Amino acid sequence: DGGITQSPKYLFRKEGQNVTLSCEQNLNHDAMYWYRQDPGQGLRLIYYSQIVNDFQKGDIAEGYSVSREKKESFPLTVTSAQKNPTAFYLCASSRDRGPQPQHFGDGTRLSIL
Amino acid sequence: GEDVEQSLFLSVREGDSSVINCTYTDSSSTYLYWYKQEPGAGLQLLTYIFSNMDMKQDQRLTVLLNKKDKHLSLRIADTQTGDSAIYFCAESRRDSSYKLIFGSGTRLLVRP
């Protein structure tokens, strides 16, 4: 079955630590996205990538970094510079950079120890 | 998501119809989407409509688009307890590289 796999489902971060969230897709989609969701709020775009080896900042990129070395993979690193990292992180992909529906993974919940 | 507005909460009785409303502001929107999110899960694409359409029906779901008023609605017929979830409206704007702009979500509670 094609889809988007996010891991881990739950992640805990210590103060001053970087953590990396995994997102893999086997849909052969060109575009991938990372969103942050806080309780009672909609989704806010962190970073997106429309093609391999290229990515763009979204609305709330500060304290985060990404890479897109392979079409299938778009990992997100939450750095120690992100002072309020506790949230639900969602990865999505779409067929290409045009007005295509985005398909989502099941999310990673990040908490601070 | 501040440019896409949704009411926060809707409660209906099982078997009734539910209508979830959304307003958006950008006339360059091309597609408008409805997503469903169950607790602790990702977003599931329910349906979407192209901005030059007025209506789209898909089984129990009917989407109505009033482009003049920039108003989008999702009607769920014969609402079931399994429909209880948060529903997000999103717009895809041509002048923003087709990035999705989400509303804050409407929590639908279906009472037995």
Side-chain angles (χ1 to χ4, degrees):
Chain A
D1 268 344
I4 300 172
T5 302
Q6 289 189 242
S7 62
K9 191 165 178 63
Y10 300 96
L11 187 59
F12 298 91
R13 194 190 91 167
K14 293 180 182 178
E15 295 287 340
Q17 189 180 46
N18 294 353
V19 292
T20 297
L21 285 61
S22 170
C23 178
E24 304 276 330
Q25 54 99 0
N26 61 4
L27 299 166
N28 200 32
H29 284 174
D30 282 330
M32 296 186 75
Y33 310 81
W34 273 106
Y35 292 91
R36 170 181 171 137
Q37 185 179 27
D38 292 285
Q41 297 189 31
L43 278 65
R44 292 184 290 168
L45 183 65
I46 305 172
Y47 268 99
Y48 64 103
S49 168
Q50 294 176 321
I51 200 164
V52 175
N53 292 322
D54 184 56
F55 49 83
Q56 310 291 332
K57 291 182 179 179
D59 300 317
I60 55 164
E62 187 174 347
Y64 300 97
S65 66
V66 293
S67 62
R68 186 87 188 276
E69 296 175 3
K70 297 188 297 183
K71 188 175 186 177
E72 315 82 71
S73 179
F74 191 40
L76 173 74
T77 296
V78 184
T79 75
S80 56
Q82 173 48 247
K83 296 306 177 191
N84 185 22
T86 297
F88 191 48
Y89 290 87
L90 288 158
C91 178
S93 71
S94 61
R95 194 180 72 198
D96 56 38
R97 60 198 295 168
Q100 301 294 330
Q102 291 182 18
H103 301 271
F104 284 79
D106 285 335
T108 292
R109 187 165 299 281
L110 175 63
S111 302
I112 296 298
L113 284 177
Chain B
E2 65 272 14
D3 294 339
V4 179
E5 300 285 343
Q6 297 180 243
S7 52
L8 289 179
F9 185 73
L10 177 66
S11 176
V12 301
R13 195 171 301 177
E14 190 174 16
D16 288 350
S17 292
S18 308
V19 179
I20 303 172
N21 295 302
C22 170
T23 57
Y24 62 99
T25 58
D26 199 301
S27 58
S28 79
S29 294
T30 52
Y31 282 93
L32 295 129
Y33 301 87
W34 284 104
Y35 285 89
K36 175 183 180 183
Q37 186 179 36
E38 299 189 31
L43 272 65
Q44 173 194 352
L45 177 66
L46 287 178
T47 186
Y48 58 98
I49 189 169
F50 189 51
S51 57
N52 69 352
M53 296 170 64
D54 298 324
M55 185 182 90
K56 180 178 180 182
Q57 187 155 2
D58 184 0
Q59 299 182 334
R60 291 191 297 123
L61 305 179
T62 303
V63 179
L64 294 178
L65 176 60
N66 181 329
K67 199 169 181 183
K68 173 177 166 290
D69 294 338
K70 296 188 176 68
H71 182 267
L72 181 75
S73 68
L74 174 70
R75 179 177 180 269
I76 306 173
D78 186 25
T79 314
Q80 303 298 307
T81 54
D83 294 324
S84 292
I86 301 176
Y87 290 80
F88 290 95
C89 162
E91 59 172 337
S92 172
R93 296 179 183 170
R94 185 186 307 117
D95 60 0
S96 298
S97 302
Y98 300 111
K99 289 181 288 184
L100 291 190
I101 310 298
F102 286 86
S104 298
T106 299
R107 183 178 296 274
L108 173 65
L109 175 66
V110 183
R111 310 185 307 274

